Amino acid sequence: SIYPQALEDLAQLIDSLELLITPDTGPLHIASALNQNIVAVFTEDSVLRYGPRTEKKSLCINLSKKSEEEAKLEIVEFL
C-alpha cells in the first residue's frame, strides 16, 4: 500500500498516474481537479452529484445497481 505523508504528496502521486480507480473519496476529487482519467466506484452516493468532472476519460460505476462481475466487465471494456 501507498501512504502519502501529506496532501501534496497524494496530489503528486495521483498526477503521475495514467488512470485512478477509486471509491467516492478525497482522491477521486483530487484526480478530478487534476483532470485525470478516472474509474469512480460508488455505492450509495449520487454519481451525478459527486462524480468526477474531468475532460479526460471517466467511468462511474454504481455498485448498488450492478453485480461485481458486471462492474469488472465494464472496467475492462473502459480500459
Side-chain angles (χ1 to χ4, degrees):
S1 296
I2 300 170
Y3 297 100
Q5 297 297 309
L7 189 58
E8 293 83 10
D9 296 336
L10 177 59
Q12 285 179 342
L13 173 65
I14 291 170
D15 198 35
S16 73
L17 302 174
E18 290 184 35
L19 172 73
L20 178 68
I21 300 175
T22 181
D24 180 25
T25 60
L28 162 65
H29 305 290
I30 292 171
S32 183
L34 293 170
N35 199 34
Q36 293 297 93
N37 298 310
I38 303 167
V39 172
V41 180
F42 289 80
T43 54
E44 301 295 323
D45 291 330
S46 169
V47 171
L48 294 175
R49 185 171 184 185
Y50 298 110
R53 286 154 180 70
T54 178
E55 294 173 9
K56 293 200 175 176
K57 287 176 56 174
S58 63
L59 169 67
C60 295
I61 297 175
N62 188 333
L63 289 181
S64 66
K65 298 181 181 181
K66 295 181 186 219
S67 71
E68 186 177 323
E69 278 305 311
E70 289 173 316
K72 286 179 185 177
L73 287 173
E74 198 169 338
I75 292 170
V76 168
E77 289 174 11
F78 175 75
L79 298 175

